[in-house]
Amino acid sequence: MIESDALLAAIVRSSSDAIVSKDLNGIVMSWNPAARRIFGFTAEQMIGQSIRKLIPSDLQFEEDMILDRIKEGEQIKGFQTIRLTASGMKIPVSVTVSPVKDSNGTIIGASKIARDMRESTAIDERLKDTEQRLHMLADNISQFAWIADAEGYIFWYNRRWYDYTGTTLEDMKGWGWKAVHHPDHVDRVVERIQRSWDTGEEWEDVFPLRSKTGEYRWFLSRAMPVRNDQGEIHCWFGTNTDITEEREQREQIRLLMREVSHRNKNMLSMVQALARRTAPAEHPEFVQSFEERLRALAANQELLVDRKWTGVQMAELARTQLYLVEDLVESRVVISGPDILIKPTPAETISMALHELATNATKYGALSNDAGKVEISWTIEEDADGREQFTLSWTESGGPLVQTPDHEGFGSTVIRRVPAISLNAEVENDFRPEGLAWSIRCDSARVLDDE
């Protein structure tokens, strides 16, 4: 029994919580070291004094309630309240009070365990503040936002979603969001997002969503997995961005570009007609050559319009200007080089040069017989100074013996002077006996489209 009492006393002394006993009048009978540490009063200052010394004046009614319940044999668990320290500071505590009985079972007092809640309360306040800020941020961004669990079950949406759709969380939980999707798109959307749920890959899609007024608007939607320290998916965070106006503007631009292209073609046709009427009858080759150049220019503009005037794939650009010998591509005309985008203005310069080279090759060069070949290649490499350089080459072989021309015509301007001036390029035009070798080299920033 003595050992048990000693053990109990040791536990009370070592506890990090304040452990206090009092009689049925609230007079303190014991006061452990943790009580002194939390409240600042020594045992000598508190034993024999009323526990009300720790209670703010506006909360004295709590002690009346506690004593009444203790006398009825009730236990009070986890009672959150405020108590005073020796310095008069108010601190948050969690109080558990239990009745104490004598050997006959008569209630003679109460034991009180008080836990200092300052640290946990501060944490709770910080968490509450963080949560409020996140809600404020989520509800005021322009996008819709939502969170799904690891399996793709959506359990939270921001205020923007509800304001637009006119729905509630109960309507939208899980797969309820399908109700606001357009029936022509919903199956495709479900299939694609389920693939991301299954694979863990980031999700992106574009589709219309119905508003509370019944209007459908287009949204760019993305979702990313949020992973824990072990790399496992904890949840998914997704957004929907309204791109309706952007799509409409793109469509307007596309129509305008088509209209411009159409008018340019009409203008080029008019120029062709004027050239036929104006050119001397004894020089039909001039009209033919002029018309072919106009056709090459029109083809390049059509290609740029199709690409929304944002750049052209180099390989596609080369093929467009080889329409005269498209049946020879891959067999006698070999095209090679990295997958790169060319800016619109440089694309026009390069396309006209390639057209001129192809025309000359079919008339006088490697493609004027049945055996010659042409290699078109391009590279992106760093020079000795670490600057990125673009090089485009046209190399002929197997054609008739080549002789250096005794004069330069308009074609020479197209393949030499224009690239040199517009691209600030180094141009080589080597009339080798075995075949023409032409190349341009310039700073890649002048020709490459970063998009």
Side-chain angles (χ1 to χ4, degrees):
M1 183 67 177
I2 295 176
E3 291 181 358
S4 298
D5 290 343
L7 177 61
L8 179 60
I11 291 173
V12 171
R13 285 195 305 270
S14 62
S15 173
S16 60
D17 294 333
I19 300 178
V20 178
S21 63
K22 61 183 180 181
D23 64 18
L24 294 179
N25 294 315
I27 302 301
V28 176
M29 301 173 63
S30 66
W31 187 263
N32 75 336
R36 176 177 180 175
R37 187 170 57 253
I38 294 172
F39 296 108
F41 292 103
T42 65
E44 291 76 13
Q45 290 173 315
M46 287 302 300
I47 293 176
Q49 300 294 318
S50 173
I51 196 69
R52 293 178 184 272
K53 192 173 182 178
L54 304 179
I55 303 174
S57 58
D58 59 335
L59 296 179
Q60 288 292 322
F61 68 90
E62 291 182 353
E63 181 64 10
D64 297 329
M65 178 270 294
I66 290 172
L67 291 175
D68 288 343
R69 292 178 63 179
I70 288 298
K71 291 173 183 178
E72 294 296 325
E74 294 184 36
Q75 184 184 46
I76 301 168
K77 294 183 178 180
F79 178 59
Q80 303 287 326
T81 187
I82 299 294
R83 291 295 181 257
L84 297 172
T85 66
S87 66
M89 181 175 67
K90 294 181 179 181
I91 63 172
V93 294
S94 175
V95 177
T96 297
V97 187
S98 303
V100 175
K101 301 177 181 179
D102 62 14
S103 57
N104 298 319
T106 302
I107 297 174
I108 59 174
S111 66
K112 171 182 175 181
I113 300 175
R115 176 163 295 175
D116 187 346
M117 299 298 291
R118 279 175 288 189
E119 183 176 349
S120 60
T121 299
I123 293 173
D124 290 342
E125 288 296 325
R126 288 197 295 270
L127 289 175
K128 182 179 180 181
D129 182 60
T130 300
E131 184 177 0
Q132 288 176 340
R133 291 186 182 190
L134 289 175
H135 274 292
M136 181 176 65
L137 176 64
D139 288 338
N140 287 281
I141 60 175
S142 59
Q143 293 99 336
F144 304 157
W146 44 269
I147 301 175
D149 65 17
E151 304 300 322
Y153 183 94
I154 300 180
F155 58 87
W156 176 86
Y157 293 88
N158 70 342
R159 175 52 51 190
R160 294 279 187 184
W161 174 274
Y162 299 123
D163 289 344
Y164 175 79
T165 62
T167 60
T168 65
L169 180 58
E170 289 302 317
D171 299 328
M172 296 289 102
K173 274 185 179 179
W175 292 84
W177 50 265
K178 293 193 293 182
V180 298
H181 276 249
H182 195 286
D184 294 345
H185 297 266
V186 64
D187 291 341
R188 171 184 61 80
V189 174
V190 169
E191 180 182 355
R192 290 186 63 175
I193 200 169
Q194 184 62 59
R195 185 161 63 246
S196 290
W197 298 155
D198 295 339
T199 63
E201 298 174 356
E202 295 181 14
W203 173 71
E204 181 174 312
D205 204 349
V206 176
F207 46 76
L209 292 174
R210 189 183 69 239
S211 72
K212 58 187 176 185
T213 62
E215 173 193 13
Y216 280 96
R217 296 182 66 83
W218 285 88
F219 289 83
L220 170 62
S221 302
R222 295 188 176 99
M224 296 183 62
V226 178
R227 300 180 184 273
N228 59 23
D229 293 339
Q230 290 72 45
E232 301 167 335
I233 295 177
H234 173 66
C235 64
W236 290 80
F237 179 75
T239 59
N240 308 92
T241 304
D242 191 336
I243 59 170
T244 305
E245 281 78 15
E246 182 182 342
R247 282 173 61 92
E248 292 173 351
Q249 289 172 358
R250 285 205 305 266
E251 180 62 18
Q252 290 175 355
I253 292 172
R254 188 187 70 81
L255 293 174
L256 287 172
M257 290 172 64
R258 284 290 179 188
E259 178 64 18
V260 170
S261 177
H262 176 69
R263 294 191 181 191
N264 280 344
K265 287 180 180 178
N266 289 341
M267 182 65 71
L268 292 175
S269 297
M270 185 181 299
V271 171
Q272 281 182 315
L274 290 173
R276 290 178 188 141
R277 293 182 181 180
T278 306
E282 62 270 21
H283 295 293
E285 70 282 357
F286 166 79
V287 176
Q288 181 181 356
S289 177
F290 187 71
E291 287 181 344
E292 287 177 354
R293 286 172 177 142
L294 288 177
R295 191 179 302 115
L297 183 60
N300 185 65
Q301 285 192 337
E302 182 72 17
L303 183 59
L304 287 170
V305 169
D306 288 341
R307 299 298 175 269
K308 301 179 178 63
W309 213 264
T310 57
V312 182
Q313 290 286 344
M314 182 61 217
E316 190 174 12
L317 176 63
R319 288 178 177 273
T320 299
Q321 298 307 321
L322 294 171
Y323 64 88
L324 292 173
V325 291
E326 59 183 351
D327 58 319
L328 302 181
V329 175
E330 294 183 0
S331 60
R332 294 175 58 192
V333 179
V334 179
I335 302 174
S336 64
D339 186 14
I340 57 174
L341 277 177
I342 305 297
K343 295 177 182 178
T345 299
E348 292 187 329
T349 299
I350 292 171
S351 66
M352 292 302 295
L354 292 177
H355 169 77
E356 196 66 28
L357 290 165
T359 300
N360 291 339
T362 58
K363 290 181 177 180
Y364 322 111
L367 302 182
S368 65
N369 64 15
D370 295 331
K373 292 185 178 181
V374 173
E375 291 186 12
I376 305 171
S377 63
W378 57 92
T379 60
I380 303 293
E381 298 177 338
E382 288 188 357
D383 62 14
D385 297 324
R387 294 175 300 186
E388 200 173 66
Q389 299 288 303
F390 168 77
T391 302
L392 173 63
S393 301
W394 173 288
T395 306
E396 299 183 23
S397 61
L401 184 66
V402 175
Q403 295 181 349
T404 303
D406 56 6
H407 71 281
E408 291 189 354
F410 179 72
S412 296
T413 299
V414 172
I415 65 175
R416 293 185 63 179
R417 294 182 60 188
V418 173
I421 295 172
S422 64
L423 303 179
N424 195 25
E426 299 174 7
V427 182
E428 293 187 8
N429 199 30
D430 187 1
F431 292 94
R432 306 174 306 166
E434 64 271 23
L436 173 68
W438 172 90
S439 68
I440 59 172
R441 180 180 175 85
C442 66
D443 189 335
S444 64
R446 287 186 169 270
V447 297
L448 296 189
D449 192 320
D450 293 333
E451 296 183 4

